Amino acid sequence: MAANINMEKIVSLCKRRGFVFPSSEIYGGLGSCWDYGPMGVELKRNVRDAWWKAIVQERDDVVGIDSSIMMHPDVWKASGHIDSFTDPLVECKRCHSRFRLDEIAGSTRKLLHSLDKPISWFSSSGDQLFVQGLTIDAPSSAITLKQAELTSSGRLNQSLSKEILLEAVKPASKKYPLFVGSQLYPGGKGYVVGFKVVEGRLGASIKLVFDDIHGIFEPVEIVVDFANMQVTQTVPKHYCPSCGGELTEPRMFNLMFKTFMGPVEEEASTVYLRPETAQGMFVNFENVVTTTRKKLPLGIAQIGKSFRNEITPGNFIFRTREFEHMELEYFVKPGTDEAWFDYWVKERFEWYIKLGMKKENLRLCQHGKDELAHYAKDCYDIEYLFPMGWSELEGIANRSDYDLTQHAKHSGKDLSYFDGESGERYIPYVIEPSAGVDRTVLALLIDAYSEEEVEGEKRAVLHLQPSLAPMKVAVLPLSRNEKLAPLSKEVYKQLCPNFMTCYDDSQSIGRRYRRQDEIGTPFCVTIDFESLEDNQATIRDRDSLAQIRVPVEELERTLRAKLNGEPFEKTPLWATRQK
RNA sequence: GCGGGAGUAACUCAGUGGUAGAGUUCCUGCCUUCCAAGCAGGGUGUCGCGGGUUCGAAUCCCGUCUCCCGCUCCA
């Protein structure tokens, strides 16, 4: 992404040129919902088509389906979405940050996973206070003291209550680990923490809360009781990872949209809007296998809307509650899954480059074991450098045999596959590349957008690959002079059955070129007065501004060749003709 | 939900109590006009909504709605 591109520019362009509008705008808009306009719908359709072509059309091992958005409620029980899409959330009472409870507690590791022995020793000399004996199992080089507060009367300096960064550095000596100020040192096996006490005396006790700055480790609370010369350690229930504050009781949130099937709400059964299209492929696995007579490896692909009641959507069309998925479930023999996983990671990454995205704006990112979804054995993200930072375009997951096994269990149907070649029967593994259409559209817009100088004037242009451009050709009479209209209209009529073509005769020719640049139209066909005599028209190339002149009857063939990537000659014709 | 920001023309925004503005865009006309040309015209607004204060409110007060950003999440 170029440095001068921000989201506002893209949002503004989308609004002005008819790519994306806020949903229900005359009513003030609806949060996180967006409508695609005349240009946007073409671009989006082209993205879908490109995916479908690469995944279904050009492969003999993948077929498509289109399953319904509402599915049997038991599907979501089997898939695990009822459980894992229902996240208990807690909120910090102090800074009001919100977290998933399992992120803070369940999946985190203990910062002080063990104490060799209860902390039983401390000394105080001069103006320093030392606590010794903490054994910290922390690979990270820095942890933070999140909180230090007096818990009984005393005169420890208040400055201890502000956040202090504790850095692990080498001890000066193994025998006598040193401590200075508020730094934490690894002392052989354990750690020693020392605090500078400005005003302290026996009779006070102090509570310390330690936390890893990366938020990976569970916070630990240590109370040093000076009166009784005791140090006690407790693992507090939960503290806010960002400020160390107290958290509220967890509340349940279900990320799935719920609705009712049947006209009377009370009597109707609850159904969910699908949060992914994948389950449609799993529940139809057997249907597809038997009707297509395909053998494994076999992929089932689908493009369609999904719905997630995200706590916080945002970043334009990047995260919305209603969005469009392009998902492939690729069923393979267990044991071959890892090779196929690698294959699809590579294949999918290449796809974005083939769409014309700049390679430096794309990267692969492997999920850590901790971040894996409930069904995943391994997962890679394809990320794009959006204005707000690297964010995910697509996830490629090895879902193992999780889904088919779950559905077999819940439905009572045998979903194993009989491999005629080896004579074995097994539950296939699944590799799932799952991409977001809207995100891809956004990334393409950002990637294609550029501001350039032409003859000292600025122009905004979308360098979209021709296959993606909403309009392929614009027919532009040089002026609105009535003599030019008949031939121009004739050319338009000739081209529009073949390409998405628009016609524009308002205002100056230069202005119209700029308009087309801004929506990414690759070619403009200009009819001038000479055309009336020689029956030739000019084709102007969006990227190079070069022009060529071809007979009207050759336009369709030439445009088709250029749209398919035939190179354009470089001399700007108008420049040589004018002077 | 919490915090911050913002709602005025299609877009970007100015306008701190006195006739609602600018630039861009858009439209029409003229011009044998090739990269946002020129000239001449033109259009646009419940100033987010509802109350209140005031002779008078885009402006001050109260309420309310919505959007954007962050937290969160992940395609």
Side-chain angles (χ1 to χ4, degrees):
Chain A
M1 185 201 67
N4 62 341
I5 298 177
N6 53 35
M7 198 68 97
E8 285 70 37
K9 269 189 179 154
I10 300 296
V11 174
S12 169
L13 172 73
C14 284
K15 177 78 196 298
R16 272 186 298 116
R17 292 300 180 198
F19 282 91
V20 179
F21 308 124
S23 166
S24 321
E25 195 184 7
I26 61 169
Y27 288 98
L30 177 61
S32 105
C33 291
W34 302 88
D35 296 345
Y36 286 82
M39 293 302 123
V41 72
E42 295 297 335
L43 174 56
K44 191 177 177 188
R45 191 163 51 80
N46 293 337
V47 169
R48 279 195 295 249
D49 288 351
W51 187 86
W52 197 262
K53 188 158 181 271
I55 297 293
V56 180
Q57 187 182 335
E58 292 176 354
R59 306 184 62 101
D60 64 358
D61 57 349
V62 178
V63 294
I65 63 163
D66 186 14
S67 69
S68 86
I69 287 174
M70 291 184 287
M71 302 179 76
H72 193 286
D74 288 352
V75 168
W76 308 113
K77 278 182 202 151
S79 71
H81 283 89
I82 299 246
D83 294 331
S84 72
F85 263 58
T86 309
D87 297 324
L89 291 190
V90 292
E91 188 171 325
C92 174
K93 286 179 182 170
R94 192 196 302 167
C95 73
H96 301 294
S97 303
R98 270 178 145 188
F99 305 94
R100 278 171 51 170
L101 184 61
D102 60 332
E103 294 250 312
I104 301 178
S107 64
T108 55
R109 284 165 277 174
K110 285 188 170 69
L111 177 61
L112 308 186
H113 86 122
S114 69
L115 294 170
D116 283 352
K117 46 199 167 201
I119 302 172
S120 57
W121 188 92
F122 76 95
S123 74
S124 171
S125 72
D127 60 352
Q128 289 187 317
L129 161 75
F130 311 116
V131 181
Q132 187 180 302
L134 312 178
T135 301
I136 299 179
D137 178 26
S140 58
S141 60
I143 64 167
T144 307
L145 175 63
K146 286 286 185 185
Q147 206 182 326
E149 61 186 56
L150 294 174
T151 49
S152 68
S153 66
R155 290 185 175 230
L156 289 172
N157 189 287
Q158 290 288 325
S159 69
L160 276 176
S161 66
K162 68 182 175 191
E163 186 175 289
I164 304 159
L165 185 67
L166 307 174
E167 282 181 73
V169 295
K170 280 187 180 169
S173 124
K174 275 186 184 172
K175 196 175 172 187
Y176 295 110
L178 290 180
F179 28 74
V180 174
S182 59
Q183 287 190 312
L184 177 76
Y185 295 89
K189 214 176 153 187
Y191 286 72
V192 173
V193 61
F195 298 97
K196 188 166 183 171
V197 179
V198 180
E199 249 190 296
R201 64 181 188 201
L202 297 183
S205 69
I206 182 170
K207 183 171 85 178
L208 310 168
V209 178
F210 295 92
D211 197 1
D212 174 42
I213 58 170
H214 305 296
I216 299 169
F217 300 97
E218 198 164 331
V220 159
E221 183 180 300
I222 291 162
V223 176
V224 183
D225 180 351
F226 296 96
N228 300 309
M229 305 278 282
Q230 274 182 358
V231 180
T232 53
Q233 180 218 355
T234 56
V235 177
K237 269 188 180 168
H238 309 292
Y239 282 97
C240 173
S242 74
C243 79
E246 237 185 294
L247 297 173
T248 60
E249 286 302 303
R251 284 187 294 171
M252 302 305 269
F253 281 81
N254 196 320
L255 269 54
M256 280 196 292
F257 278 95
K258 228 185 259 188
T259 188
F260 305 96
M261 190 107 115
V264 183
E265 191 171 315
E266 301 81 54
E267 297 169 10
S269 59
T270 300
V271 293
Y272 298 92
L273 303 187
R274 65 183 178 198
E276 60 176 26
T277 67
Q279 299 306 323
M281 276 82 98
F282 297 131
V283 299
N284 279 301
F285 174 68
E286 210 178 34
N287 285 336
V288 171
V289 169
T290 55
T291 54
T292 59
R293 297 174 297 106
K294 295 264 184 195
K295 296 191 172 74
L296 257 52
L298 166 67
I300 307 179
Q302 170 163 221
I303 299 178
K305 288 281 177 87
S306 295
F307 303 82
R308 290 182 193 178
N309 212 346
E310 299 285 354
I311 302 152
T312 313
N315 285 317
F316 195 33
I317 54 172
F318 180 78
R319 180 174 297 115
T320 51
R321 294 194 170 107
E322 172 181 342
F323 63 104
E324 198 156 345
H325 256 139
M326 303 184 282
E327 294 189 302
L328 166 66
E329 306 303 328
Y330 196 76
F331 299 88
V332 303
K333 183 177 178 178
T336 66
D337 56 304
E338 284 175 20
W340 279 112
F341 179 74
D342 293 343
Y343 166 85
W344 278 111
V345 168
K346 197 163 158 264
E347 189 76 8
R348 293 303 305 147
F349 191 81
E350 287 298 315
W351 184 75
Y352 291 95
I353 291 169
K354 276 189 211 140
L355 281 191
M357 286 191 201
K358 297 179 192 80
K359 200 166 186 173
E360 65 267 27
N361 291 338
L362 288 164
R363 73 175 186 193
L364 274 173
C365 211
Q366 187 176 18
H367 278 209
K369 294 282 176 238
D370 296 355
E371 334 168 63
L372 289 176
H374 62 275
Y375 49 75
K377 179 179 160 188
D378 198 359
C379 188
Y380 269 95
D381 284 345
I382 297 172
E383 298 189 333
Y384 182 80
L385 186 52
F386 285 95
M388 67 279 188
W390 289 101
S391 305
E392 185 185 4
L393 284 176
E394 169 163 352
I396 297 128
N398 183 344
R399 296 180 75 127
S400 71
D401 58 359
Y402 176 85
D403 300 278
L404 288 180
T405 304
Q406 285 293 109
H407 285 304
K409 202 190 293 173
H410 282 78
S411 67
K413 298 274 191 308
D414 178 16
L415 296 178
S416 65
Y417 170 81
F418 180 71
D419 189 332
E421 248 170 70
S422 64
E424 294 170 85
R425 184 169 276 284
Y426 51 79
I427 304 269
Y429 268 43
V430 177
I431 310 301
E432 176 196 73
S434 169
V437 181
D438 313 84
R439 291 181 174 190
T440 306
V441 166
L442 181 59
L444 283 167
L445 283 170
I446 291 164
D447 211 68
Y449 184 82
S450 83
E451 290 172 355
E452 299 162 4
E453 253 193 47
V454 179
E455 312 264 303
E457 297 277 356
K458 248 178 45 175
R459 73 159 180 165
V461 50
L462 287 181
H463 290 289
L464 287 171
Q465 183 171 297
S467 67
L468 296 170
M471 291 290 156
K472 313 299 184 199
V473 183
V475 176
L476 313 173
L478 190 58
S479 79
R480 195 171 266 181
N481 188 294
E482 57 186 15
K483 288 180 194 157
L484 294 176
L487 181 59
S488 305
K489 295 224 164 108
E490 190 192 314
V491 168
Y492 172 71
K493 285 227 170 88
Q494 178 195 326
L495 295 179
C496 68
N498 299 290
F499 317 106
M500 284 300 301
T501 308
C502 59
Y503 184 91
D504 190 0
D505 66 355
S506 73
Q507 300 179 321
S508 76
I509 184 71
R511 189 173 294 242
R512 281 177 275 150
Y513 282 145
R514 290 295 194 271
R515 263 184 223 144
Q516 295 302 326
D517 288 342
E518 215 174 12
I519 60 170
T521 309
F523 301 110
C524 293
V525 172
T526 309
I527 312 294
D528 57 24
F529 293 96
E530 226 176 304
S531 307
L532 301 177
E533 284 155 32
D534 63 7
N535 208 40
Q536 296 198 2
T538 304
I539 302 176
R540 175 259 197 190
D541 175 46
R542 174 196 68 199
D543 296 340
S544 66
L545 304 178
Q547 291 186 313
I548 55 172
R549 200 156 170 87
V550 299
V552 166
E553 60 272 21
E554 285 292 307
L555 276 174
E556 186 195 325
R557 195 195 57 78
T558 309
L559 283 167
R560 199 177 296 284
K562 301 296 179 200
L563 286 166
N564 284 328
E566 186 183 284
F568 219 91
E569 76 177 34
K570 290 297 174 198
T571 324
L573 189 59
W574 55 271
T576 54
R577 282 169 80 214
Q578 215 180 15
K579 303 283 143 60

